[in-house]
Amino acid sequence: MLTVKSIVTFYFRYILRRPALVNRALFYIPNWRGLFRTALNEINFLLRRDQGFRITSVVVELSGQCNLNCLHCARHQAMTREQGLMTWETFETLVKNNPDIPMFILVGWGEMMLHPDFFRMVEFLRQKGKRVALTTNATLLTRERIEKLVTSGLSHITFSVDGLDDVYQKMRGIPFEKVERNIIALAERIRQTGADIFLEINCVGHPDVLQQEKEIRQRLGPYLDDIRFSSFMEYNMLVPTNRSSPCREFWRGMISVLHDGRVVPCCMDYNASMVLGHISEGSLNSLWNNPVTRGLRREQLRLEFKRRCATCYENEPPAQSGINKRFD
C-alpha cells in the first residue's frame, strides 16, 4: 500500500532530484489529507485561478520583538510597524477558530522564545493536536529551556545561523561561541532522550556566508538533520522586484498571523502592507478566499507587483550552489 511518505520521497528524490527536501516536505505533508490539500492548491495555481483550496499551515508571530539587530534583517532599516507580543487572548482565539489547520509554525520578525508564555503556548497547541515547528536564533537557550524543548512535543526546530565566527558576528552583531554551544547542547540532549525532533539550521545565502559553507557543514553537520542555504533577500535596499511570474505564496496554503492578530498572505510582508483581515473575524480559511485575497492573486496573475511585492527582490543563487530560491 502506497503511503504519503513513499510518494513524497519518490517525488523529491527521483522526480525533482532534491533528496535533501524529503524530510522538510514530510513535515508539511504528513498524511493523505495534507497531500490532497497541497495538490489542490497547486492545481489552482497552475490553472491560474484567483482562488486557493485550503490553508495547510499557519505562520504565527508570537513575538514582534527581537534581542538581535541583524544587519541583513528588515528590522534593521525597512520595518516600521509597531513591535510587540501576541496576547494570550489573541493566541487562544487563533487556535480555537482554526481547528482544521494541522500545522503551526512559530516564526516571525522577532525571537519567539522572548514570549513569556512561549512554552505554555506550545503545550496548548499540542493539546489541540497540532504539529508545531519553531524557528529561533538559539541565543536564549539555557539548560532548563533545553529540557523543556526536548519534552515539548515540537516536531521541527530551525536555527537561524548566518556564518561562523567573524562572519556571524558581522551579520548578527554577537559572538558565535555561545550560539554554537547552545545548538550542540540541544542536539546532544535530543539524541540522549530519543526525542522525535527534526533539527536543522538555515543560513542566508550572503556571499560571505557561502564562502564558509564547507566549514559550516563540517563543524555543525554532525549535530543536525539538515543544513540549508536559502537565497539572499534584499530587505533593506528596497530595490524593485525582479519577479517575472506570479508568486506561489498566494496559493501555497501557508498564511501568516502577526503578533497583533492581523493576517497577511506572506511571511515577507514585514510592514503588513497586504492585510487580509484579523483573526477575530473568524477562521483563516474564510480569509483565504475573501475579496482582498482574490484581488491580490489577480494582481499576481497580471504581473502587477504592488505593496510589499514591489520590493521583494531575491538575489539569484550562484551557479551550482544548490541554494533554493525562497519564492519560485
mmCIF file with all atom_site columns, all heavy atoms in Angstrom, residues 163-178:
data_model
loop_
_atom_site.group_PDB
_atom_site.id
_atom_site.type_symbol
_atom_site.label_atom_id
_atom_site.label_alt_id
_atom_site.label_comp_id
_atom_site.label_asym_id
_atom_site.label_entity_id
_atom_site.label_seq_id
_atom_site.pdbx_PDB_ins_code
_atom_site.Cartn_x
_atom_site.Cartn_y
_atom_site.Cartn_z
_atom_site.occupancy
_atom_site.B_iso_or_equiv
_atom_site.pdbx_formal_charge
_atom_site.auth_seq_id
_atom_site.auth_comp_id
_atom_site.auth_asym_id
_atom_site.auth_atom_id
_atom_site.pdbx_PDB_model_num
ATOM 1   N N   . GLY A 1 163 ? 26.601 32.028 8.949  1.00 0.00 ? 163 GLY A N   1
ATOM 2   C CA  . GLY A 1 163 ? 28.047 32.019 9.004  1.00 0.00 ? 163 GLY A CA  1
ATOM 3   C C   . GLY A 1 163 ? 28.584 31.600 10.363 1.00 0.00 ? 163 GLY A C   1
ATOM 4   O O   . GLY A 1 163 ? 27.836 31.311 11.302 1.00 0.00 ? 163 GLY A O   1
ATOM 5   N N   . LEU A 1 164 ? 29.903 31.577 10.460 1.00 0.00 ? 164 LEU A N   1
ATOM 6   C CA  . LEU A 1 164 ? 30.603 31.198 11.674 1.00 0.00 ? 164 LEU A CA  1
ATOM 7   C C   . LEU A 1 164 ? 31.511 32.331 12.137 1.00 0.00 ? 164 LEU A C   1
ATOM 8   O O   . LEU A 1 164 ? 31.947 33.155 11.332 1.00 0.00 ? 164 LEU A O   1
ATOM 9   C CB  . LEU A 1 164 ? 31.460 29.953 11.431 1.00 0.00 ? 164 LEU A CB  1
ATOM 10  C CG  . LEU A 1 164 ? 30.769 28.713 10.865 1.00 0.00 ? 164 LEU A CG  1
ATOM 11  C CD1 . LEU A 1 164 ? 31.815 27.682 10.456 1.00 0.00 ? 164 LEU A CD1 1
ATOM 12  C CD2 . LEU A 1 164 ? 29.801 28.117 11.881 1.00 0.00 ? 164 LEU A CD2 1
ATOM 13  N N   . ASP A 1 165 ? 31.754 32.400 13.410 1.00 0.00 ? 165 ASP A N   1
ATOM 14  C CA  . ASP A 1 165 ? 32.796 33.248 13.992 1.00 0.00 ? 165 ASP A CA  1
ATOM 15  C C   . ASP A 1 165 ? 32.690 34.700 13.513 1.00 0.00 ? 165 ASP A C   1
ATOM 16  O O   . ASP A 1 165 ? 31.675 35.341 13.756 1.00 0.00 ? 165 ASP A O   1
ATOM 17  C CB  . ASP A 1 165 ? 34.176 32.643 13.701 1.00 0.00 ? 165 ASP A CB  1
ATOM 18  C CG  . ASP A 1 165 ? 34.279 31.201 14.174 1.00 0.00 ? 165 ASP A CG  1
ATOM 19  O OD1 . ASP A 1 165 ? 33.686 30.897 15.235 1.00 0.00 ? 165 ASP A OD1 1
ATOM 20  O OD2 . ASP A 1 165 ? 34.900 30.374 13.494 1.00 0.00 ? 165 ASP A OD2 1
ATOM 21  N N   . ASP A 1 166 ? 33.707 35.222 12.820 1.00 0.00 ? 166 ASP A N   1
ATOM 22  C CA  . ASP A 1 166 ? 33.718 36.642 12.441 1.00 0.00 ? 166 ASP A CA  1
ATOM 23  C C   . ASP A 1 166 ? 32.580 36.998 11.501 1.00 0.00 ? 166 ASP A C   1
ATOM 24  O O   . ASP A 1 166 ? 32.003 38.092 11.597 1.00 0.00 ? 166 ASP A O   1
ATOM 25  C CB  . ASP A 1 166 ? 35.056 36.998 11.788 1.00 0.00 ? 166 ASP A CB  1
ATOM 26  C CG  . ASP A 1 166 ? 36.213 36.948 12.769 1.00 0.00 ? 166 ASP A CG  1
ATOM 27  O OD1 . ASP A 1 166 ? 35.956 36.935 13.986 1.00 0.00 ? 166 ASP A OD1 1
ATOM 28  O OD2 . ASP A 1 166 ? 37.379 36.908 12.316 1.00 0.00 ? 166 ASP A OD2 1
ATOM 29  N N   . VAL A 1 167 ? 32.249 36.091 10.588 1.00 0.00 ? 167 VAL A N   1
ATOM 30  C CA  . VAL A 1 167 ? 31.146 36.361 9.656  1.00 0.00 ? 167 VAL A CA  1
ATOM 31  C C   . VAL A 1 167 ? 29.827 36.447 10.421 1.00 0.00 ? 167 VAL A C   1
ATOM 32  O O   . VAL A 1 167 ? 29.024 37.364 10.198 1.00 0.00 ? 167 VAL A O   1
ATOM 33  C CB  . VAL A 1 167 ? 31.071 35.280 8.561  1.00 0.00 ? 167 VAL A CB  1
ATOM 34  C CG1 . VAL A 1 167 ? 29.803 35.448 7.718  1.00 0.00 ? 167 VAL A CG1 1
ATOM 35  C CG2 . VAL A 1 167 ? 32.299 35.342 7.668  1.00 0.00 ? 167 VAL A CG2 1
ATOM 36  N N   . TYR A 1 168 ? 29.595 35.508 11.323 1.00 0.00 ? 168 TYR A N   1
ATOM 37  C CA  . TYR A 1 168 ? 28.375 35.527 12.131 1.00 0.00 ? 168 TYR A CA  1
ATOM 38  C C   . TYR A 1 168 ? 28.291 36.821 12.941 1.00 0.00 ? 168 TYR A C   1
ATOM 39  O O   . TYR A 1 168 ? 27.240 37.463 12.997 1.00 0.00 ? 168 TYR A O   1
ATOM 40  C CB  . TYR A 1 168 ? 28.350 34.321 13.064 1.00 0.00 ? 168 TYR A CB  1
ATOM 41  C CG  . TYR A 1 168 ? 27.106 34.248 13.927 1.00 0.00 ? 168 TYR A CG  1
ATOM 42  C CD1 . TYR A 1 168 ? 25.987 33.550 13.521 1.00 0.00 ? 168 TYR A CD1 1
ATOM 43  C CD2 . TYR A 1 168 ? 27.050 34.907 15.162 1.00 0.00 ? 168 TYR A CD2 1
ATOM 44  C CE1 . TYR A 1 168 ? 24.844 33.483 14.307 1.00 0.00 ? 168 TYR A CE1 1
ATOM 45  C CE2 . TYR A 1 168 ? 25.917 34.852 15.952 1.00 0.00 ? 168 TYR A CE2 1
ATOM 46  C CZ  . TYR A 1 168 ? 24.817 34.139 15.519 1.00 0.00 ? 168 TYR A CZ  1
ATOM 47  O OH  . TYR A 1 168 ? 23.677 34.095 16.295 1.00 0.00 ? 168 TYR A OH  1
ATOM 48  N N   . GLN A 1 169 ? 29.402 37.219 13.557 1.00 0.00 ? 169 GLN A N   1
ATOM 49  C CA  . GLN A 1 169 ? 29.379 38.425 14.382 1.00 0.00 ? 169 GLN A CA  1
ATOM 50  C C   . GLN A 1 169 ? 29.102 39.661 13.537 1.00 0.00 ? 169 GLN A C   1
ATOM 51  O O   . GLN A 1 169 ? 28.378 40.559 13.962 1.00 0.00 ? 169 GLN A O   1
ATOM 52  C CB  . GLN A 1 169 ? 30.700 38.585 15.144 1.00 0.00 ? 169 GLN A CB  1
ATOM 53  C CG  . GLN A 1 169 ? 30.713 39.808 16.050 1.00 0.00 ? 169 GLN A CG  1
ATOM 54  C CD  . GLN A 1 169 ? 31.564 39.626 17.291 1.00 0.00 ? 169 GLN A CD  1
ATOM 55  O OE1 . GLN A 1 169 ? 32.169 38.577 17.496 1.00 0.00 ? 169 GLN A OE1 1
ATOM 56  N NE2 . GLN A 1 169 ? 31.608 40.630 18.133 1.00 0.00 ? 169 GLN A NE2 1
ATOM 57  N N   . LYS A 1 170 ? 29.639 39.699 12.331 1.00 0.00 ? 170 LYS A N   1
ATOM 58  C CA  . LYS A 1 170 ? 29.362 40.832 11.446 1.00 0.00 ? 170 LYS A CA  1
ATOM 59  C C   . LYS A 1 170 ? 27.889 40.859 11.038 1.00 0.00 ? 170 LYS A C   1
ATOM 60  O O   . LYS A 1 170 ? 27.266 41.931 10.996 1.00 0.00 ? 170 LYS A O   1
ATOM 61  C CB  . LYS A 1 170 ? 30.235 40.745 10.191 1.00 0.00 ? 170 LYS A CB  1
ATOM 62  C CG  . LYS A 1 170 ? 30.034 41.924 9.236  1.00 0.00 ? 170 LYS A CG  1
ATOM 63  C CD  . LYS A 1 170 ? 30.889 41.797 7.994  1.00 0.00 ? 170 LYS A CD  1
ATOM 64  C CE  . LYS A 1 170 ? 30.331 40.761 7.044  1.00 0.00 ? 170 LYS A CE  1
ATOM 65  N NZ  . LYS A 1 170 ? 31.038 40.751 5.729  1.00 0.00 ? 170 LYS A NZ  1
ATOM 66  N N   . MET A 1 171 ? 27.321 39.692 10.757 1.00 0.00 ? 171 MET A N   1
ATOM 67  C CA  . MET A 1 171 ? 25.940 39.619 10.285 1.00 0.00 ? 171 MET A CA  1
ATOM 68  C C   . MET A 1 171 ? 24.937 39.842 11.416 1.00 0.00 ? 171 MET A C   1
ATOM 69  O O   . MET A 1 171 ? 23.926 40.511 11.235 1.00 0.00 ? 171 MET A O   1
ATOM 70  C CB  . MET A 1 171 ? 25.676 38.246 9.651  1.00 0.00 ? 171 MET A CB  1
ATOM 71  C CG  . MET A 1 171 ? 26.512 37.942 8.417  1.00 0.00 ? 171 MET A CG  1
ATOM 72  S SD  . MET A 1 171 ? 25.954 38.830 6.945  1.00 0.00 ? 171 MET A SD  1
ATOM 73  C CE  . MET A 1 171 ? 24.486 37.909 6.523  1.00 0.00 ? 171 MET A CE  1
ATOM 74  N N   . ARG A 1 172 ? 25.237 39.282 12.614 1.00 0.00 ? 172 ARG A N   1
ATOM 75  C CA  . ARG A 1 172 ? 24.245 39.257 13.682 1.00 0.00 ? 172 ARG A CA  1
ATOM 76  C C   . ARG A 1 172 ? 24.628 40.069 14.912 1.00 0.00 ? 172 ARG A C   1
ATOM 77  O O   . ARG A 1 172 ? 23.825 40.234 15.820 1.00 0.00 ? 172 ARG A O   1
ATOM 78  C CB  . ARG A 1 172 ? 23.934 37.810 14.072 1.00 0.00 ? 172 ARG A CB  1
ATOM 79  C CG  . ARG A 1 172 ? 23.213 37.089 12.936 1.00 0.00 ? 172 ARG A CG  1
ATOM 80  C CD  . ARG A 1 172 ? 22.644 35.767 13.339 1.00 0.00 ? 172 ARG A CD  1
ATOM 81  N NE  . ARG A 1 172 ? 21.674 35.334 12.329 1.00 0.00 ? 172 ARG A NE  1
ATOM 82  C CZ  . ARG A 1 172 ? 20.365 35.304 12.490 1.00 0.00 ? 172 ARG A CZ  1
ATOM 83  N NH1 . ARG A 1 172 ? 19.838 35.678 13.639 1.00 0.00 ? 172 ARG A NH1 1
ATOM 84  N NH2 . ARG A 1 172 ? 19.570 34.918 11.523 1.00 0.00 ? 172 ARG A NH2 1
ATOM 85  N N   . GLY A 1 173 ? 25.858 40.551 14.954 1.00 0.00 ? 173 GLY A N   1
ATOM 86  C CA  . GLY A 1 173 ? 26.230 41.505 15.997 1.00 0.00 ? 173 GLY A CA  1
ATOM 87  C C   . GLY A 1 173 ? 26.621 40.922 17.330 1.00 0.00 ? 173 GLY A C   1
ATOM 88  O O   . GLY A 1 173 ? 26.816 41.668 18.302 1.00 0.00 ? 173 GLY A O   1
ATOM 89  N N   . ILE A 1 174 ? 26.725 39.599 17.452 1.00 0.00 ? 174 ILE A N   1
ATOM 90  C CA  . ILE A 1 174 ? 27.124 38.973 18.710 1.00 0.00 ? 174 ILE A CA  1
ATOM 91  C C   . ILE A 1 174 ? 28.124 37.857 18.419 1.00 0.00 ? 174 ILE A C   1
ATOM 92  O O   . ILE A 1 174 ? 28.174 37.343 17.293 1.00 0.00 ? 174 ILE A O   1
ATOM 93  C CB  . ILE A 1 174 ? 25.918 38.398 19.488 1.00 0.00 ? 174 ILE A CB  1
ATOM 94  C CG1 . ILE A 1 174 ? 25.243 37.285 18.663 1.00 0.00 ? 174 ILE A CG1 1
ATOM 95  C CG2 . ILE A 1 174 ? 24.923 39.496 19.842 1.00 0.00 ? 174 ILE A CG2 1
ATOM 96  C CD1 . ILE A 1 174 ? 24.212 36.496 19.440 1.00 0.00 ? 174 ILE A CD1 1
ATOM 97  N N   . PRO A 1 175 ? 28.909 37.442 19.409 1.00 0.00 ? 175 PRO A N   1
ATOM 98  C CA  . PRO A 1 175 ? 29.845 36.330 19.201 1.00 0.00 ? 175 PRO A CA  1
ATOM 99  C C   . PRO A 1 175 ? 29.097 35.027 18.920 1.00 0.00 ? 175 PRO A C   1
ATOM 100 O O   . PRO A 1 175 ? 27.986 34.807 19.411 1.00 0.00 ? 175 PRO A O   1
ATOM 101 C CB  . PRO A 1 175 ? 30.614 36.256 20.521 1.00 0.00 ? 175 PRO A CB  1
ATOM 102 C CG  . PRO A 1 175 ? 30.440 37.608 21.145 1.00 0.00 ? 175 PRO A CG  1
ATOM 103 C CD  . PRO A 1 175 ? 29.076 38.075 20.732 1.00 0.00 ? 175 PRO A CD  1
ATOM 104 N N   . PHE A 1 176 ? 29.745 34.145 18.162 1.00 0.00 ? 176 PHE A N   1
ATOM 105 C CA  . PHE A 1 176 ? 29.110 32.898 17.751 1.00 0.00 ? 176 PHE A CA  1
ATOM 106 C C   . PHE A 1 176 ? 29.282 31.777 18.780 1.00 0.00 ? 176 PHE A C   1
ATOM 107 O O   . PHE A 1 176 ? 28.516 30.813 18.793 1.00 0.00 ? 176 PHE A O   1
ATOM 108 C CB  . PHE A 1 176 ? 29.695 32.440 16.399 1.00 0.00 ? 176 PHE A CB  1
ATOM 109 C CG  . PHE A 1 176 ? 29.090 31.177 15.874 1.00 0.00 ? 176 PHE A CG  1
ATOM 110 C CD1 . PHE A 1 176 ? 27.745 31.112 15.552 1.00 0.00 ? 176 PHE A CD1 1
ATOM 111 C CD2 . PHE A 1 176 ? 29.865 30.042 15.707 1.00 0.00 ? 176 PHE A CD2 1
ATOM 112 C CE1 . PHE A 1 176 ? 27.177 29.933 15.069 1.00 0.00 ? 176 PHE A CE1 1
ATOM 113 C CE2 . PHE A 1 176 ? 29.316 28.860 15.225 1.00 0.00 ? 176 PHE A CE2 1
ATOM 114 C CZ  . PHE A 1 176 ? 27.967 28.807 14.900 1.00 0.00 ? 176 PHE A CZ  1
ATOM 115 N N   . GLU A 1 177 ? 30.251 31.890 19.665 1.00 0.00 ? 177 GLU A N   1
ATOM 116 C CA  . GLU A 1 177 ? 30.608 30.765 20.537 1.00 0.00 ? 177 GLU A CA  1
ATOM 117 C C   . GLU A 1 177 ? 29.427 30.242 21.349 1.00 0.00 ? 177 GLU A C   1
ATOM 118 O O   . GLU A 1 177 ? 29.188 29.031 21.433 1.00 0.00 ? 177 GLU A O   1
ATOM 119 C CB  . GLU A 1 177 ? 31.745 31.167 21.492 1.00 0.00 ? 177 GLU A CB  1
ATOM 120 C CG  . GLU A 1 177 ? 33.094 31.353 20.818 1.00 0.00 ? 177 GLU A CG  1
ATOM 121 C CD  . GLU A 1 177 ? 33.251 32.732 20.181 1.00 0.00 ? 177 GLU A CD  1
ATOM 122 O OE1 . GLU A 1 177 ? 32.277 33.524 20.216 1.00 0.00 ? 177 GLU A OE1 1
ATOM 123 O OE2 . GLU A 1 177 ? 34.340 33.018 19.647 1.00 0.00 ? 177 GLU A OE2 1
ATOM 124 N N   . LYS A 1 178 ? 28.680 31.149 21.974 1.00 0.00 ? 178 LYS A N   1
ATOM 125 C CA  . LYS A 1 178 ? 27.556 30.722 22.805 1.00 0.00 ? 178 LYS A CA  1
ATOM 126 C C   . LYS A 1 178 ? 26.471 30.056 21.965 1.00 0.00 ? 178 LYS A C   1
ATOM 127 O O   . LYS A 1 178 ? 25.877 29.041 22.383 1.00 0.00 ? 178 LYS A O   1
ATOM 128 C CB  . LYS A 1 178 ? 26.976 31.911 23.569 1.00 0.00 ? 178 LYS A CB  1
ATOM 129 C CG  . LYS A 1 178 ? 25.793 31.543 24.451 1.00 0.00 ? 178 LYS A CG  1
ATOM 130 C CD  . LYS A 1 178 ? 25.199 32.751 25.159 1.00 0.00 ? 178 LYS A CD  1
ATOM 131 C CE  . LYS A 1 178 ? 23.978 32.361 25.970 1.00 0.00 ? 178 LYS A CE  1
ATOM 132 N NZ  . LYS A 1 178 ? 23.355 33.532 26.644 1.00 0.00 ? 178 LYS A NZ  1
#
